[in-house]
Amino acid sequence: SFDRHRRRCPVTTTETHDLDWLTSVDDHVIEPGHVWMDRVPDKYKDVAPRIIREDDGNEYWVYEDKKMITGGLGATAGRPPEDSTVEGYPYSEMRPGCYDPVERLKDMDEAGILASLNFPSIPRFCGQLFWEAQDKELALLCVEAYNDWMIDEWCATDPGRFIPLIIIPLWDPALAVAELERCHDKGARSFCFSENFEPLGLPTIESGHWDPVISAANEMGMVISIHIGSSSTMYKVSSTSPFMANMSLGHIRPAGCMTSWIFSGLLQKFPKTKIALSESSIGWIPWVLERANQVYHTQRHWVAKGKQFGGSVEGAHATSGNEVDIFAIDVYRDYREHFYGCFIDDATGLAMLDIVGEDNIMIEADYPHSDSTWPHSIKLARERLDAAGLTPEQQFKILRGNAEKLYQFTPSTPPEVARP
């Protein structure tokens, strides 16, 4: 029954927890212009990702035949809400913490962010830019260059404050595994993956195509970080629905991602898999789990027989290439053992913590995006956690403990800072 999946709140302990800092599991870096220019061979410097300034003073990233703006909503930190814009603007008009790790640390101190995991911007949320590239030899060099920069430069600025997050060459699972192994040896414990590969023109997770990558992550203990929008699509209510209506329902993407994984059989095949649903929110999780559990119990018998429905074959011998033991699935258990919901500000989800799970959620600041809680991140977080009536132990888990355990990360001692 539904009630048996609710979890009792833990008994309050006398242990002292530092609740003045949080670990943000979803921030973003605006890559500085030298990331690839410093690392690719000379013969590629005129086609690798680089910044150009045009006669009108506007700056752009260019790569092969692509031209991308700098600035926009992805570099909003420090701007009043009324000055937010989707239009491009140069790095000189951005807050330096967007692209400079030393300046980022100052901004983190101000907002009570002890540690930060950063998703890419120019490569997009799971490295789609390089999958789309024409020259895959160069694309692989660019993936490696980004990862080396992320680990050896950005995170190395203060290894106790930055959590390495890498990208993989999406076009070749064998190359992806090799890159995971290389970066694991350098200290990385998480990599970017897509919420849905089909819109990218790649095989789905159910196809078996990604099994080598998932297997490698399973064995090495690398977290699969799946950011909303990593399918290069945005949920749309209709072709004419307002942007804010579509954005308000963006959680439909991570909900679909989570249920696809739960029913795919992959969690039984790779039982140590850990998946962070980045910028997913958490308030939707109880209802989706309840509905998925209901569907499982009412539909599993005919599905297990491999009957056709809706033009596809479901069940133990699906066309996907993965054999699924339907009866080995347990919706609530599989969620608890494999998934982490990541939220910016979600009072609804915190109010249902007995279902969402105090061990299954992590907080994020989303710096420097327009959704960010910066510079009030720890203040807002504490207000929400206090309002939810959570114990110090529960608060510490959500603010820091779950993230540090999941990413196998030991943070620096919190700095002595005076916050405004």
Side-chain angles (χ1 to χ4, degrees):
S1 69
F2 173 76
D3 285 339
R4 76 182 177 88
H5 296 290
R6 290 180 176 271
R7 282 179 271 177
R8 297 181 182 274
C9 291
V11 177
T12 303
T13 68
T14 57
E15 183 180 354
T16 300
H17 297 286
D18 183 355
L19 304 180
D20 292 330
W21 295 86
L22 62 85
T23 290
S24 174
V25 297
D26 171 32
D27 292 320
H28 300 263
V29 61
I30 308 298
E31 295 82 7
H34 69 270
V35 171
W36 292 279
M37 290 296 96
D38 283 359
R39 291 170 175 81
V40 300
D42 289 343
K43 68 176 182 177
Y44 287 123
K45 291 191 184 295
D46 59 346
V47 287
R50 62 204 183 280
I51 297 174
I52 63 169
R53 179 182 288 272
E54 299 196 330
D55 293 340
D56 60 5
N58 291 327
E59 288 179 351
Y60 297 91
W61 275 94
V62 293
Y63 172 50
E64 290 190 337
D65 58 353
K66 286 185 169 62
K67 184 177 180 181
M68 301 153 281
I69 66 168
T70 58
L73 294 178
T76 300
R79 289 176 168 246
E82 58 272 19
D83 288 346
S84 297
T85 175
V86 297
E87 304 298 328
Y89 47 86
Y91 277 68
S92 60
E93 295 180 20
M94 296 180 199
R95 188 172 185 86
C98 293
Y99 54 85
D100 183 326
V102 174
E103 294 299 318
R104 174 67 67 91
L105 288 168
K106 296 176 183 177
D107 287 350
M108 290 164 61
D109 289 348
E110 181 178 348
I113 302 170
L114 180 59
S116 172
L117 177 143
N118 286 267
F119 281 84
S121 295
I122 298 306
R124 309 213 298 278
F125 295 147
C126 68
Q128 301 101 299
L129 178 68
F130 302 120
W131 151 242
E132 297 164 352
Q134 301 165 30
D135 185 339
K136 287 299 188 285
E137 179 182 351
L138 170 59
L140 180 59
L141 291 173
C142 288
V143 168
E144 294 170 344
Y146 176 86
N147 292 338
D148 287 341
W149 169 80
M150 170 57 64
I151 298 169
D152 299 335
E153 186 172 331
W154 180 266
C155 292
T157 302
D158 192 333
R161 303 292 300 274
F162 292 115
I163 303 172
L165 177 65
I166 65 164
I167 57 177
I168 58 174
L170 297 172
W171 58 94
D172 188 324
L175 290 176
V177 170
E179 185 63 4
L180 287 180
E181 293 172 343
R182 187 182 78 88
C183 293
H184 182 271
D185 288 345
K186 289 166 67 74
R189 294 296 179 267
S190 186
F191 65 100
C192 302
F193 214 54
S194 179
E195 62 193 353
N196 184 356
F197 284 104
E198 195 164 63
L200 303 180
L202 285 162
T204 64
I205 58 167
E206 298 86 3
S207 68
H209 176 83
W210 298 101
D211 281 14
V213 176
I214 301 168
S215 177
N218 181 73
E219 292 306 313
M220 290 188 287
M222 295 192 75
V223 181
I224 300 175
S225 290
I226 302 179
H227 197 285
I228 190 171
S230 53
S231 60
S232 294
T233 61
M234 179 178 180
Y235 174 77
K236 296 185 72 173
V237 179
S238 70
S239 61
T240 59
S241 52
F243 166 79
M244 287 193 288
N246 299 331
M247 190 171 186
S248 297
L249 297 175
H251 67 276
I252 288 175
R253 291 284 191 246
C257 174
M258 184 181 77
T259 51
S260 291
W261 276 88
I262 286 175
F263 291 120
S264 69
L266 290 168
L267 302 179
Q268 287 70 46
K269 192 172 185 178
F270 306 110
K272 294 182 287 185
T273 300
K274 302 294 184 183
I275 300 170
L277 298 173
S278 305
E279 203 170 326
S280 64
S281 298
I282 59 174
W284 55 270
I285 292 175
W287 180 84
V288 168
L289 289 175
E290 181 181 8
R291 174 58 180 158
N293 195 53
Q294 180 188 37
V295 167
Y296 174 74
H297 284 286
T298 57
Q299 312 298 329
R300 69 187 186 278
H301 292 288
W302 72 261
V303 170
K305 296 173 184 176
K307 299 296 184 181
Q308 288 209 15
F309 183 76
S312 63
V313 177
E314 300 281 357
H317 299 285
T319 56
S320 66
N322 268 319
E323 290 191 0
V324 181
D325 181 358
I326 293 295
F327 299 104
I329 294 170
D330 182 315
V331 171
Y332 283 94
R333 179 204 64 202
D334 293 342
Y335 163 73
R336 289 194 300 267
E337 292 183 357
H338 300 283
F339 288 94
Y340 296 80
C342 310
F343 71 99
I344 300 171
D345 183 15
D346 197 326
T348 301
L350 291 173
M352 295 186 286
L353 190 63
D354 52 347
I355 304 167
V356 177
E358 65 191 62
D359 297 315
N360 292 87
I361 59 174
M362 304 180 291
I363 202 163
E364 54 191 35
D366 199 29
Y367 180 107
H369 283 191
S370 56
D371 252 355
S372 180
T373 58
W374 186 89
H376 310 295
S377 304
I378 190 62
K379 179 178 182 293
L380 177 62
R382 288 298 311 280
E383 287 174 357
R384 292 288 188 263
L385 297 173
D386 286 342
L390 304 187
T391 67
E393 181 182 17
Q394 290 172 309
Q395 293 197 28
F396 183 80
K397 285 182 179 181
I398 296 167
L399 289 173
R400 290 178 47 189
N402 291 341
E404 292 163 11
K405 180 179 178 180
L406 177 65
Y407 293 106
Q408 304 167 55
F409 179 76
T410 301
S412 299
T413 300
E416 295 290 336
V417 296
R419 293 193 195 120

